[in-house]
Amino acid sequence: MSIATTQASGTVTAPWTRGLVEIRGVSKIYAGHEVLHDVNLTVRPGEVVAILGPSGSGKSTLLRTINHLESVDRGWVTVDGELIGYEQRGDRLFELKEREILKRRTNVGVVFQNFNLFPHLTAAENIAVAPVALGRLGKSDARELALGLLAKVGLADKPDAYPRQLSGGQQQRVAIARALALQPKVLLFDEPTSALDPELVGEVLDVIRDLAKLGTTLIIVTHEIGFAREVADRIVFIDAGHILEVGPPRAGLRFSAAPTHQRIPGTRALRRVPGHPSTTHPAQQHSQQKLTEIEAHNGN
Amino acid sequence: MTDTVKEHRSAAPTQDSPQIVNRDSPDFAALKVVHTRHYVRWIFGALVLFVVLQFLCSLATNDKYGWPVFATYFFAPAILKGIQLTLALTVVSGTIGFILGTLLALARLSKSPILNSVSWSFIWFFRSVPLLVQLLVWYNLGYLYPRLGLGVPFTDNYFWSFDTVTLVSQFAAAVLGLSLNQAAYSAEIIRGGILSVDQGQLEAAAALGLPRHVRVLRIILPQAARAILPNAFNEIIGLIKGTSIVSVIALGELFYVTQVIYNRNQQVIPLLLVSVVWYIIFTTVLSVAQFYVERYFARGALRVVPPTPIQAARAWVNTQWARLDEKPEAPEAATTRIGGNGS
């Protein structure tokens, strides 16, 4: 589903001048272990990017750096040119006050693997709490908004249900509606279907599919390869903290520009190959192999 | 054997299913069930019942309990005044204690090392010193610091000051002692409650850009409340009885008043009973309140909130009423369904 087709259908109102995410030279180290290594990625406004990779490859960490839930040790991340967490004054970066960070964070919505709905609030209250707390809407307007969003994700009949009274798929749809309530420029999905029973995955993917048509930038960490291929404009493959490949979904993972990395024998780490011209490359083979592995796993 | 049972059950819904059923097995459903007889349990039950009855009987027959004296003093104005003070002490120290305790708990969980260690030291100190000693120290504060006020730091030049003795009255000393002690204990209870809230909740709240006070008051504390409440009610019940300890600084609360009276008229047991019954009444009210408060904070945590005793009683009455109305139904319908393939 490309952006162009959606544009032509004429149902889209969102301008694509917002939601540009730039990740430059981002590294993150946990207790001596480098989880992210010099990651560079630009996500264009309105683009849908799927991040694939094995468990522990750093894909969730990368996602979390985008809204500063995780700070970075090197490099920077911007959304529409604004640094999240820092402000440039002259030649220095000042760490922002919490209030400012929170404000900028509202540009980036997050949908978590475990939904993280507030269990003591009803579905509608879960959605309305942020717009009210941030002073954007009054209580009744926020409730209206919540009802509208619930209808959008197919839960018009559940506004007063508590999360525990909903199925996993329904909870995740409420979580998506909650993230949408702040009209974020970018939506991050951290393995949105991994905690769901197989028969509930479809309803959540349907909602994400609809969102993909609306022109919000979506960055989706997922194991659903088929879904990623169908919905994403580009697929990013990441392993051991390195971006191995970035490309369009069909050709994407079978296509490579000049390879940049080579595996260091006996480790999972990769090293940069200076100006290597070859087209078949260990890293590429590796990602191809991983992809096949994951597909095989999902197929079963 | 187990296989047969399984087949038997799954065969139940459809008559024509080709499941293997042992046709020769007798229809157990038609037989009467005889429950296990717990002879030992019955003997001990009878013994306990006997002891309880004996005690209740002695309450009525043993005239040393002095029920007439009890009756004269139960609503005596002096006692009622003592109750007033007991309740005032509980409410004031409980409120201060829990508010201060919440702040201490938040300080203890904050990233600031200063706030953290100050909070830790406070809790450490006030849990270390016995309440009785604390009360006596607060009561004698005037000896340590005769005047309290605002002035030039580290000198005795005051712009504005008070005699400590007038500022820290008996009541103030009692409130200080009880509430600081309470704060130390409730801080740990509240901290435990906050720690029990899933980390993902904090993350979700942060990702939504909720300001700190909203995160604490609207997201974290209501969820922590479920873990906090049982312990908190323990503390409040402890506090209401604990107020009796301030009788050592001659503050006229319920227990002090009863002591004064029985020292005068020597009716020790009847007057102690007066205070016992009053304390029981207070804690009973609190226990009932606990049920309803916990029920309120259980919303969302349970799929179905348990009925209140009143709702349960009403439901029971309704079912009994309905049972009286309808004809006694043949039990076969139920047994066939459980029993098997209904052949």
Side-chain angles (χ1 to χ4, degrees):
Chain A
M1 182 63 56
S2 77
I3 298 174
T5 348
T6 330
Q7 223 168 357
S9 75
T11 54
V12 179
T13 48
W16 290 320
T17 50
R18 39 178 251 161
L20 171 73
V21 178
E22 284 183 278
I23 301 170
R24 284 286 167 276
V26 164
S27 295
K28 173 84 191 170
I29 297 159
Y30 279 129
H33 176 68
E34 197 163 43
V35 199
L36 292 176
H37 178 83
D38 190 24
V39 171
N40 290 291
L41 183 66
T42 303
V43 181
R44 292 185 293 272
E47 193 178 19
V48 179
V49 168
I51 303 178
L52 303 179
S55 304
S57 57
K59 53 191 193 307
S60 285
T61 311
L62 177 62
L63 198 74
R64 292 156 60 85
T65 59
I66 296 174
N67 73 342
H68 205 65
L69 275 178
E70 205 82 68
S71 61
V72 298
D73 294 317
R74 271 198 305 283
W76 46 263
V77 181
T78 61
V79 173
D80 284 344
E82 255 187 353
L83 288 165
I84 305 280
Y86 301 92
E87 185 175 46
Q88 185 183 2
R89 274 182 245 149
D91 58 349
R92 284 174 191 224
L93 285 184
F94 289 87
E95 194 168 14
L96 284 173
K97 287 243 172 71
E98 195 184 339
R99 183 180 292 254
E100 276 303 305
I101 294 181
L102 291 176
K103 207 167 164 192
R104 294 191 180 186
R105 248 187 211 152
T106 59
N107 289 331
V108 182
V110 190
V111 175
F112 297 92
Q113 181 176 356
N114 296 315
F115 332 133
N116 291 345
L117 289 178
F118 304 129
H120 59 301
L121 303 179
T122 63
E125 286 169 346
N126 260 284
I127 299 167
V129 66
V132 172
L134 297 170
R136 291 196 187 175
L137 291 176
K139 271 194 174 157
S140 58
D141 288 343
R143 167 110 186 151
E144 283 296 302
L145 173 76
L147 295 182
L149 285 169
L150 279 174
K152 227 181 210 171
V153 296
L155 291 170
D157 54 333
K158 299 280 187 194
D160 299 317
Y162 285 102
R164 213 145 299 184
Q165 295 162 333
L166 299 172
S167 74
Q170 291 171 330
Q171 288 189 50
Q172 192 60 299
R173 285 187 278 154
V174 173
I176 293 172
R178 180 175 72 173
L180 288 173
L182 292 173
Q183 297 173 309
K185 299 172 177 179
V186 180
L187 257 184
L188 309 178
F189 290 86
D190 189 359
E191 303 193 19
T193 57
S194 296
L196 295 178
D197 289 338
E199 75 269 25
L200 300 178
V201 168
E203 61 188 63
V204 171
L205 294 186
D206 284 344
V207 171
I208 301 176
R209 207 172 277 130
D210 287 345
L211 285 177
K213 296 176 195 159
L214 287 178
T216 313
T217 307
L218 303 186
I219 304 179
I220 309 168
V221 166
T222 184
H223 289 301
E224 303 279 337
I225 307 264
F227 175 72
R229 283 210 161 124
E230 175 206 331
V231 84
D233 299 311
R234 277 190 303 160
I235 290 181
V236 175
F237 196 90
I238 189 168
D239 189 15
H242 299 260
I243 287 190
L244 297 186
E245 297 203 48
V246 180
R250 291 291 164 202
L253 292 150
R254 289 174 175 79
F255 159 87
S256 176
T260 51
H261 291 90
Q262 173 182 322
R263 198 196 257 276
I264 298 167
T267 67
R268 295 186 76 197
L270 298 167
R271 69 168 168 243
R272 197 174 274 279
V273 182
H276 200 293
S278 117
T279 45
T280 56
H281 189 272
Q284 190 193 342
Q285 283 168 4
H286 179 65
S287 72
Q288 193 57 56
Q289 180 201 335
K290 280 283 176 196
L291 181 67
T292 328
E293 272 172 30
I294 295 173
E295 271 182 330
H297 173 77
N298 282 6
N300 291 341
Chain B
M1 184 65 196
T2 31
D3 278 348
T4 330
V5 174
K6 216 187 269 171
E7 297 289 358
H8 191 74
R9 278 200 191 135
S10 54
T14 44
Q15 288 282 328
D16 53 350
S17 66
Q19 304 277 8
I20 304 156
V21 177
N22 187 357
R23 297 278 174 192
D24 300 332
S25 61
D27 186 7
F28 291 116
L31 303 177
K32 192 166 177 277
V33 177
V34 180
H35 292 286
T36 324
R37 302 213 153 96
H38 304 276
Y39 297 107
V40 178
R41 200 187 286 175
W42 294 344
I43 291 168
F44 277 98
L47 276 175
V48 169
L49 209 61
F50 167 72
V51 172
V52 169
L53 281 175
Q54 178 77 48
F55 171 69
L56 290 178
C57 184
S58 79
L59 274 184
T61 55
N62 187 342
D63 56 0
K64 289 200 182 111
Y65 278 112
W67 294 112
V69 184
F70 173 89
T72 26
Y73 281 101
F74 194 67
F75 291 112
I79 294 285
L80 293 182
K81 227 167 172 194
I83 287 169
Q84 219 176 5
L85 199 54
T86 293
L87 293 181
L89 272 177
T90 310
V91 170
V92 174
S93 335
T95 311
I96 297 176
F98 272 92
I99 291 173
L100 189 57
T102 310
L103 296 178
L104 283 168
L106 293 174
R108 195 80 170 73
L109 292 167
S110 87
K111 282 176 196 147
S112 153
I114 297 176
L115 284 180
N116 205 320
S117 50
V118 165
S119 171
W120 185 89
S121 311
F122 181 99
I123 295 166
W124 163 77
F125 183 77
F126 282 97
R127 285 201 306 191
S128 305
V129 183
L131 179 57
L132 188 59
V133 179
Q134 276 184 51
L135 285 169
L136 291 173
V137 171
W138 286 119
Y139 189 48
N140 293 304
L141 194 66
Y143 172 75
L144 281 174
Y145 303 100
R147 292 186 77 72
L148 290 176
L150 286 174
V152 182
F154 306 111
T155 68
D156 283 338
N157 302 327
Y158 289 110
F159 306 132
W160 174 84
S161 72
F162 259 109
D163 273 336
T164 306
V165 180
T166 49
L167 190 68
V168 184
S169 62
Q170 283 163 314
F171 185 77
V175 166
L176 269 173
L178 289 172
S179 55
L180 294 183
N181 197 60
Q182 196 55 55
Y185 282 95
S186 47
E188 287 295 274
I189 292 173
I190 291 163
R191 188 170 70 93
I194 293 173
L195 288 178
S196 75
V197 176
D198 178 30
Q199 189 66 24
Q201 293 289 313
L202 287 172
E203 242 171 34
L208 283 172
L210 297 181
R212 186 185 295 255
H213 68 275
V214 178
R215 270 179 305 183
V216 171
L217 294 177
R218 189 118 166 81
I219 306 299
I220 302 304
L221 284 181
Q223 291 186 57
R226 245 173 88 70
I228 293 172
L229 280 172
N231 289 322
F233 270 97
N234 248 355
E235 286 293 309
I236 297 171
I237 286 173
L239 180 63
I240 203 165
K241 291 182 298 172
T243 52
S244 60
I245 208 175
V246 307
S247 59
V248 296
I249 55 172
L251 188 61
E253 46 70 57
L254 176 57
F255 185 63
Y256 183 77
V257 172
T258 49
Q259 275 182 313
V260 168
I261 297 174
Y262 72 61
N263 281 333
R264 210 181 302 147
N265 67 6
Q266 302 303 314
Q267 299 283 345
V268 179
I269 294 292
L271 277 153
L272 284 180
L273 280 177
V274 167
S275 58
V276 165
V277 172
W278 276 115
Y279 284 123
I280 289 177
I281 290 173
F282 299 145
T283 52
T284 309
V285 169
L286 280 173
S287 302
V288 172
Q290 177 176 4
F291 175 84
Y292 284 95
V293 173
E294 280 185 9
R295 192 168 174 276
Y296 173 78
F297 279 101
R299 73 196 195 286
L302 305 171
R303 276 176 187 241
V304 184
V305 183
T308 63
I310 296 169
Q311 288 170 339
R314 199 177 291 158
W316 186 82
V317 168
N318 283 343
T319 44
Q320 297 306 312
W321 198 248
R323 198 175 285 178
L324 279 182
D325 271 359
E326 72 193 23
K327 301 261 179 219
E329 204 179 319
E332 282 91 69
T335 32
T336 354
R337 215 155 26 93
I338 299 161
N341 50 8
S343 53

